[in-house]
Amino acid sequence: MSDIADRVKKIVAEHLGVEADKVTENASFIDDLGADSLDTVELVMAFEEAFNCEIPDDAAETILTVGDAIKFLEKNAA
Amino acid sequence: MFDLSGKTALVTGATGGLGNAIARALHRQGATVALSGTRREVLDALAAELGERTVVLPCNLASSEEVEALVPSAEEAFGPLDILVNNAGITRDGLFIRLKDEDWDTVIAVNLTSAFRLSRAAAKSMMRRRTGRIIGITSVVGVTGNAGQGNYAAAKAGMIGMSKALAKEVAARGVTVNCIAPGFIATPMTDVLNDKQKDAILGAVPANRLGTPEDIAAATVYLASDEAAYVTGQTLHVNGGMAMI
């Protein structure tokens, strides 16, 4: 597992207050991890901060699962 | 009670009668205050009088670029923003059927759209920190209507609806969003009324006096305080009883 994947999962678990083992790559923030739409916005902001990159709104809308976030950040993280 | 030591605040329209009193009151309670407005020399004079814990940030709220830069400038100057007071407001009165598009657009832009943009920027920062106060200075006419103020009443009513929507989104994140609706307050904005108009107004105010900017400032301090944490989405009417809502 990549370093980015580890960090993403850690951020998600902390932010949403869920057990680390529930944060799998297929887990959907809203359907599986109990996030509301504002939580997902906050998660995107947390990713931006942690990975020092900007996630445009149209890209943010496509980040629905933990795996989506990892894929995006592996491509775009600074 | 109502101690604001260690908090930061941004007040728009700090050159005006209400903004000046609000900025002074927040400062007196211990907050570091960013003073915003269009007239730099008036802001500088107020900052000089208040002394420490002030920042001067001139801004033309009709310019979207300047509005977008305001919250970041404040946070650059004093760190994360705790209290935003959307106080700035202008009037371009006219009978509805003669109201010019330009006067409609300007009043909506300065009184409502700027408050939207500033609140959006502030809420983003406050949400992350799970704390914050957004306070809109609206007006009794946003609720009751007023002849000759179709544009102003629309902007002020808009601010109330906007604040309620935002309040619902951020309530669980420790951020409260409220409005204060002044009645008739003695300020340069109401000085332009003639005596006959003023008498007519007083006849409608059970308290039998115009309000003072300090009456509004005190309400602002309350809503900005930790003690008001459970108050959100509300409009606090400070009007001597002229409208009981």
Side-chain angles (χ1 to χ4, degrees):
Chain A
M1 203 192 304
S2 73
D3 170 48
I4 286 180
D6 276 346
R7 286 166 68 197
V8 165
K9 287 180 179 176
K10 192 157 173 266
I11 291 169
V12 171
E14 272 172 15
H15 236 83
L16 300 179
V18 293
E19 309 261 334
D21 60 358
K22 289 205 174 129
V23 185
T24 61
E25 302 218 356
N26 290 329
S28 150
F29 298 126
I30 291 178
D31 295 334
D32 301 317
L33 302 176
D36 66 18
S37 54
L38 219 56
D39 287 323
T40 63
V41 173
E42 283 190 292
L43 268 179
V44 166
M45 294 195 293
F47 294 146
E48 287 179 328
E49 223 163 272
F51 294 93
N52 193 24
C53 66
E54 204 155 308
I55 304 177
D57 286 347
D58 53 345
E61 279 167 21
T62 67
I63 299 177
L64 305 174
T65 66
V66 177
D68 294 338
I70 294 169
K71 257 181 247 150
F72 180 89
L73 290 164
E74 280 176 343
K75 259 189 226 157
N76 297 284
Chain B
M1 295 272 273
F2 315 132
D3 180 21
L4 302 178
S5 301
K7 310 247 190 223
T8 60
L10 167 62
V11 180
T12 66
T15 50
L18 294 183
N20 179 299
I22 290 167
R24 280 173 195 277
L26 295 174
H27 188 265
R28 193 179 314 123
Q29 296 306 113
T32 299
V33 183
L35 309 165
S36 186
T38 46
R39 288 170 290 159
R40 166 122 222 174
E41 63 285 358
V42 182
L43 297 173
D44 282 338
L46 178 57
E49 200 191 319
L50 294 177
E52 288 178 359
R53 294 185 283 109
T54 55
V55 182
V56 170
L57 297 172
C59 179
N60 172 12
L61 294 181
S63 153
S64 57
E65 292 82 21
E66 289 188 35
V67 173
E68 291 294 346
L70 188 54
V71 170
S73 304
E75 297 203 317
E76 200 172 301
F78 55 40
L81 179 64
D82 297 310
I83 303 159
L84 168 67
V85 184
N86 285 309
N87 162 73
I90 57 166
T91 53
R92 294 282 185 277
D93 297 352
L95 289 176
F96 204 97
I97 55 171
R98 298 209 185 106
L99 199 57
K100 294 188 183 72
D101 283 5
E102 189 194 334
D103 288 339
W104 172 272
D105 290 341
T106 308
V107 166
I108 297 293
V110 172
N111 294 10
L112 182 59
T113 309
S114 74
F116 156 64
R117 292 199 171 110
L118 295 175
S119 301
R120 181 175 57 187
K124 197 171 171 185
S125 157
M126 291 171 178
M127 246 167 63
R128 276 188 209 189
R129 287 174 291 123
R130 296 289 190 267
T131 179
R133 298 282 182 270
I134 296 175
I135 300 166
I137 306 301
T138 172
S139 166
V140 64
V141 309
V143 178
T144 63
N146 194 27
Q149 292 198 306
N151 48 2
Y152 187 75
K156 294 303 190 182
M159 182 183 254
I160 293 174
M162 176 181 81
S163 298
K164 289 179 179 176
L166 176 56
K168 287 196 173 178
E169 290 189 18
V170 297
R173 289 164 173 78
V175 181
T176 71
V177 190
N178 291 288
C179 288
I180 295 168
F184 282 98
I185 310 296
T187 66
M189 203 188 265
T190 49
D191 283 347
V192 298
L193 301 170
N194 63 38
D195 284 349
K196 203 177 152 198
Q197 289 171 313
K198 281 187 187 160
D199 285 346
I201 290 165
L202 281 183
V205 179
N208 201 30
R209 68 168 174 90
L210 291 181
T212 65
E214 289 70 31
D215 290 324
I216 305 309
T220 311
V221 165
Y222 166 63
L223 290 175
S225 70
D226 288 342
E227 284 79 0
Y230 200 54
V231 178
T232 196
Q234 305 301 316
T235 299
L236 179 49
H237 289 267
V238 182
N239 62 26
M242 72 173 281
M244 301 186 186
I245 299 135

